[in-house]
Amino acid sequence: EAGVAQSPRYKIIEKRQSVAFWCNPISGHATLYWYQQILGQGPKLLIQFQNNGVVDDSQLPKDRFSAERLKGVDSTLKIQPAKLEDSAVYLCASSLSFPPSRPNQPQHFGDGTRLSIL
Amino acid sequence: SQQGEEDPQALSIQEGENATMNCSYKTSINNLQWYRQNSGRGLVHLILIRSNEREKHSGRLRVTLDTSKKSSSLLITASRAADTASYFCATDGYIFGTGTRLKVLA
């Protein structure tokens, strides 16, 4: 099966500019996640979608970050305006939908977008 | 905030040796998962262990879980150069630890 696709692979922008990342999950995966991974750290969840509804966005800096998943398939994550501390790899992951009796299905990750802020 | 902390932060071993890394977490969990990340790539799921399980095996991987100590360990037996990567534990699916960087020398 095709994996999770992300683009672009790399992005360099200046602070205060805006940027958008795109993710196409594995076909049939209802749950989609966006993570921020700062160099040397583990991924930090930014937002989780179940189909096109938001399940958890408690760690999303909503003053500058936004995400949408129209039609419950592809998703975009936007940063506007970017700050220096946003330099990181942005990872998208997807998993099968799950009933409450079988939580936390394994996630399948894309290779991420490496964002550098100048 | 990060729930889990892996120990050690970095580990360097010879090919053929076993590698053990540990994960400690703070609050009760439903399950714990281990992932591998090669440099410049996304994470790959290795194994999931539920809170009512104590040990699980998958190929050369062995995972243990001690809920009373809030800790888990990942053992990779007979390591290979291709095992060189960062390894992360994740509690309840999406709260990742800080990672162990494993280097296997040929």
Side-chain angles (χ1 to χ4, degrees):
Chain A
E1 65 182 2
V4 175
Q6 288 190 249
S7 68
R9 193 82 170 84
Y10 304 93
K11 191 73 178 177
I12 302 173
I13 62 172
E14 294 187 349
K15 60 183 179 184
R16 291 188 289 274
Q17 286 187 324
S18 61
V19 64
F21 315 123
W22 173 82
C23 173
N24 181 236
I26 291 173
S27 178
H29 281 194
T31 308
L32 185 146
Y33 311 79
W34 282 102
Y35 291 88
Q36 179 192 60
Q37 186 176 25
I38 293 172
L39 187 65
Q41 298 182 18
K44 183 183 92 171
L45 179 70
L46 293 175
I47 189 167
Q48 177 186 350
F49 292 95
Q50 179 76 7
N51 296 308
N52 59 351
V54 176
V55 174
D56 183 355
D57 64 355
S58 57
Q59 297 202 79
L60 186 74
K62 298 181 186 65
D63 58 333
R64 297 184 301 107
F65 285 65
S66 64
E68 60 182 8
R69 191 182 183 199
L70 299 177
K71 300 180 183 178
V73 181
D74 292 8
S75 178
T76 56
L77 176 70
K78 297 179 182 176
I79 307 175
Q80 182 179 6
K83 292 185 176 181
L84 292 175
E85 61 259 35
D86 299 332
S87 292
V89 175
Y90 290 85
L91 295 163
C92 178
S94 69
S95 66
L96 288 168
S97 182
F98 53 83
S101 60
R102 292 200 63 196
N104 306 137
Q105 295 295 305
Q107 295 175 47
H108 300 257
F109 282 79
D111 285 338
T113 296
R114 183 174 297 276
L115 176 64
S116 297
I117 313 290
L118 304 178
Chain B
S1 63
Q2 315 238 222
Q3 153 89 296
E5 280 197 18
E6 284 88 342
D7 169 58
Q9 288 189 332
L11 180 61
S12 187
I13 60 173
Q14 295 290 326
E15 210 168 27
E17 292 181 338
N18 295 343
T20 299
M21 50 205 89
N22 305 294
C23 168
S24 59
Y25 56 92
K26 297 170 187 169
T27 61
S28 59
I29 60 172
N30 292 309
N31 64 70
L32 187 142
Q33 301 179 48
W34 284 91
Y35 285 81
R36 182 189 77 232
Q37 185 177 34
N38 290 89
S39 181
R41 304 299 300 273
L43 285 77
V44 174
H45 183 263
L46 296 176
I47 197 164
L48 180 152
I49 186 165
R50 302 191 191 280
S51 59
N52 60 353
E53 297 175 313
R54 291 296 166 259
E55 189 171 309
K56 209 160 179 183
H57 296 254
S58 177
R60 293 184 297 112
L61 306 180
R62 177 186 152 221
V63 168
T64 61
L65 179 64
D66 187 334
T67 53
S68 66
K69 295 181 179 177
K70 291 188 172 59
S71 68
S72 173
S73 68
L74 171 67
L75 168 68
I76 304 174
T77 60
S79 63
R80 305 165 182 168
D83 295 328
T84 294
S86 291
Y87 291 82
F88 295 91
C89 64
T91 53
D92 288 338
Y94 58 85
I95 306 175
F96 286 83
T98 51
T100 293
R101 293 187 305 280
L102 173 66
K103 191 168 192 176
V104 181
L105 304 169

